[in-house]
Amino acid sequence: MFYYLNTAAQIKYKGGQDSWQYPLMVSDDGKSVQLKGNIWRAVPLETPVVIDAGTDLEFTVTITDETEIHSICFADSTNDGLLVSERDRCIVVGGNQAFGYYNVDPRTQEGETRTYTIPIGLVYQGVFRGNIDYIMLMQDNDSSDRSTGDTTWSNIAFTQSARPSFDITVNGVAQEISSTTQATARNDQDTRLHFLEFPDVNSVTMKGDLHKAVTITEPFEINKATELDFDFTLTTMAEHHTICIVTDPERIDSYTWRNRCWTVAWTQNVGWDHNIEPQTAVGETRHYNIPIGLEHPGGQAYYLVFVQDSDADKNLGESTFSNIKFSQRPDLKLNINGVETGVFNHQLSYGRHQDFANNLIEVSDDGMKASMYGNLWKAFELPTPVTITDNTVLSFTVGIEELLEIVTICFDEDLTDQKQARCFMVSGTQTNHLG
């Protein structure tokens, strides 16, 4: 819907900045307004606009004579609405000076006309939702000749769009996450007018530089047995492509604290993430299974953060995370003195420096089978210590598919060192230090 501006009721916005002698010039059809000279002007709307998550802003802008800042801003009818920092309320479309939080890219250059559609309901999330009573037009010119500068704004319209949702799977149950919850995760990193895109119900696409968080609809527990699966497609390389899990409901920006993020493609190391090998190459799609619980500090997961960092060129980079799934490794089932006992699947390193390959024991869904692949020395902590006596009998079935150096089962009271007397070798080619 096109909105008419009541220029007869215009007022100075930030009066110390505005040069009142330069009027706003409205076209005969009322759909365009021209600014000449230094102008910071607030104009009331004939009908207030209600901003919600689905609101889009559309307009066309022509810059004939470039000045420092060319911007369109918004306010409510309160005094605070007109005095609030313009950096929070303004969309900057051109100019030769850096300004504010919301700068379109590409900007309109002198001699150009561009049309923009901006999901303003997402832009103002957490900053401004509700009635817009004023549009503020800014053409900032602090030079000695305040009369220079020429911009025309036309076809200013507010429309509504349906914002999509996407699904993640948590412990076998699909959970819908609304794209309307996406928000800047760190003010000093995110390009605020770049937004997550959702090509289908299972995918999240990033284009350009962004650090965006989405709210998890039903928070869930991250513990030492939690695993994260996803498919990742890299279309254009940026500096790093990362997924993070935040467990502090008050600090979205805590994703940059250690052990909360996993990066699957990169040209730059950042220090607060985990780089996962092999990384995805341009043009590839890879599936990843990551035992995030072994590193993540744990707690209720409130936010997912998607990072595609591109400081050198804010428009560079494109990638997609798909089929995001959180799951729990099954408990290992033991029969202890006739009682079936579940052992929590937190696998701890054992054997001093032997456990170097980061492999994990695979426990079957029913918990009755533990399979080992590659080099690993792993321990499970029993829920209750077991006393070994002369009458204790250990029984199990073992199957060997590939002969290695040592296959052994051990029982120990601590993890400080592997003790040969605590271990029973059942297969292998090594002939010394066997236990």
Side-chain angles (χ1 to χ4, degrees):
M1 178 178 179
F2 175 78
Y3 277 78
Y4 288 92
L5 304 178
N6 183 8
T7 55
Q10 63 185 284
I11 62 174
K12 293 182 178 182
Y13 171 60
K14 302 230 7 165
Q17 290 281 357
D18 182 71
S19 298
W20 187 252
Q21 66 268 32
Y22 305 119
L24 298 176
M25 293 174 284
V26 180
S27 63
D28 292 339
D29 63 4
K31 294 186 177 181
S32 298
V33 58
Q34 185 177 19
L35 286 66
K36 286 190 173 184
N38 180 66
I39 293 175
W40 292 54
R41 207 69 50 83
V43 181
L45 293 167
E46 291 185 350
T47 304
V49 179
V50 178
I51 298 293
D52 61 25
T55 304
D56 289 333
L57 169 67
E58 299 176 2
F59 58 84
T60 298
V61 62
T62 300
I63 298 180
T64 304
D65 183 11
E66 184 184 66
T67 60
E68 295 161 4
I69 303 167
H70 301 266
S71 180
I72 184 169
C73 315
F74 307 93
D76 56 30
S77 60
T78 66
N79 287 334
D80 286 345
L82 289 175
L83 296 175
V84 72
S85 170
E86 65 278 355
R87 295 178 185 273
D88 290 339
R89 302 289 183 93
C90 293
I91 307 294
V92 179
V93 299
N96 53 38
Q97 184 180 96
F99 179 81
Y101 298 138
Y102 304 108
N103 289 263
V104 300
D105 195 350
R107 286 190 172 202
T108 301
Q109 303 299 317
E110 185 173 279
E112 287 186 340
T113 296
R114 286 187 181 272
T115 297
Y116 296 96
T117 299
I118 296 170
I120 199 163
L122 300 180
V123 171
Y124 282 166
Q125 180 174 241
V127 176
F128 187 75
R129 286 270 181 89
N131 285 351
I132 280 181
D133 299 291
Y134 291 87
I135 285 181
M136 289 90 75
L137 297 172
M138 181 197 304
Q139 182 168 266
D140 187 56
N141 175 10
D142 294 328
S143 71
S144 58
D145 183 1
R146 297 286 181 104
S147 67
T148 59
D150 187 343
T151 310
T152 299
W153 300 83
S154 57
N155 300 317
I156 300 170
F158 294 93
T159 59
Q160 288 292 122
S161 293
R163 307 289 187 216
S165 297
F166 73 103
D167 289 347
I168 64 172
T169 301
V170 180
N171 299 325
V173 178
Q175 184 177 145
E176 185 178 75
I177 295 180
S178 173
S179 66
T180 64
T181 66
Q182 63 179 293
T184 291
R186 256 186 65 167
N187 292 335
D188 62 338
Q189 291 290 338
D190 184 49
T191 299
R192 301 189 188 202
L193 290 182
H194 289 171
F195 298 95
L196 299 173
E197 299 180 10
F198 305 90
D200 58 62
V201 72
N202 296 312
S203 301
V204 179
T205 294
M206 301 182 288
K207 294 180 180 179
D209 176 75
L210 52 75
H211 291 235
K212 283 290 192 296
V214 294
T215 301
I216 295 171
T217 308
E218 298 178 31
F220 58 90
E221 187 75 17
I222 301 290
N223 60 40
K224 294 299 182 182
T226 300
E227 295 192 339
L228 170 62
D229 283 81
F230 56 83
D231 297 312
F232 178 75
T233 301
L234 181 60
T235 304
T236 307
M237 179 71 82
E239 292 168 9
H240 56 98
H241 304 256
T242 305
I243 186 170
C244 312
I245 299 94
V246 173
T247 52
D248 187 334
E250 307 299 326
R251 292 290 303 272
I252 296 177
D253 63 346
S254 66
Y255 72 98
T256 56
W257 300 353
R258 291 185 64 83
N259 297 325
R260 289 160 174 82
C261 295
W262 286 265
T263 297
V264 292
W266 65 92
T267 61
Q268 180 186 93
N269 292 311
V270 294
W272 41 262
D273 63 342
H274 291 274
N275 291 338
I276 304 301
E277 297 279 6
Q279 66 169 302
T280 302
V282 172
E284 283 187 340
T285 296
R286 283 187 179 272
H287 179 78
Y288 289 90
N289 168 261
I290 306 172
I292 61 171
L294 296 179
E295 300 292 345
H296 197 284
Q300 290 287 107
Y302 291 98
Y303 303 100
L304 285 179
V305 178
F306 297 93
V307 176
Q308 183 169 270
D309 193 62
S310 183
D311 295 327
D313 180 351
K314 299 297 185 182
N315 291 313
L316 185 66
E318 181 176 345
S319 58
T320 299
F321 287 90
S322 302
N323 305 315
I324 298 168
K325 179 177 75 172
F326 293 88
S327 60
Q328 297 289 115
R329 290 190 302 280
D331 289 353
L332 177 65
K333 298 292 181 60
L334 303 180
N335 187 310
I336 301 177
N337 297 324
V339 178
E340 185 177 276
T341 303
V343 180
F344 182 57
N345 199 334
H346 177 200
Q347 300 183 31
L348 303 161
S349 287
Y350 180 63
R352 193 174 274 180
H353 303 301
Q354 292 284 357
D355 189 47
F356 56 80
N358 295 322
N359 296 320
L360 291 178
I361 296 173
E362 293 185 13
V363 177
S364 62
D365 290 340
D366 63 5
M368 302 302 293
K369 181 179 179 180
S371 300
M372 301 184 291
Y373 301 92
N375 181 78
L376 56 78
W377 293 61
K378 286 292 190 291
F380 294 82
E381 183 178 1
L382 299 176
T384 303
V386 175
T387 300
I388 305 296
T389 70
D390 291 343
N391 296 321
T392 300
V393 176
L394 170 66
S395 62
F396 56 86
T397 300
V398 63
I400 303 297
E401 296 183 11
E402 182 181 353
L403 195 62
L404 300 176
E405 294 171 2
I406 298 174
V407 177
T408 186
I409 185 170
C410 308
F411 298 88
D412 212 333
E413 60 268 24
D414 59 50
L415 299 176
T416 56
D417 193 12
Q418 178 263 330
K419 304 174 183 66
Q420 296 179 26
R422 303 289 195 272
C423 295
F424 301 89
M425 181 176 173
V426 298
S427 178
T429 61
Q430 188 166 315
T431 57
N432 59 340
H433 304 296
L434 301 181

